[in-house]
Amino acid sequence: MFKKIVAGLIDQPLLTSIFVTDFFILSMGPRLPIIASLLMLGLLVVMTMYLGQKLSLFKL
């Protein structure tokens, strides 16, 4: 399962780099205005949902 996650992240380097950068800025970066924080949090949620759908680790 871990190998599939890493392979999926390597297959899409642009999306992975945006995801990591966005997460880092939101968690450890400077204080942002509330609108910018909400937009970045929304982007993070959308990318997480996309990657979860793309990887589909659990088949139901």
Side-chain angles (χ1 to χ4, degrees):
M1 184 166 84
F2 183 71
K3 186 177 180 181
K4 188 174 182 179
I5 293 172
V6 172
L9 292 176
I10 290 173
D11 286 344
Q12 300 182 3
L14 180 65
L15 187 63
T16 303
S17 64
I18 291 172
F19 180 80
V20 169
T21 304
D22 190 12
F23 181 76
F24 179 75
I25 289 172
L26 281 175
S27 62
M28 297 181 195
R31 298 282 297 175
L32 297 172
I34 189 73
I35 299 295
S37 295
L38 287 176
L39 286 174
M40 289 181 74
L41 185 63
L43 180 65
L44 197 62
V45 168
V46 167
M47 286 189 291
T48 304
M49 291 172 65
Y50 175 76
L51 286 173
Q53 183 69 29
K54 191 73 169 172
L55 295 175
S56 64
L57 296 174
F58 305 107
K59 302 286 184 186
L60 296 177

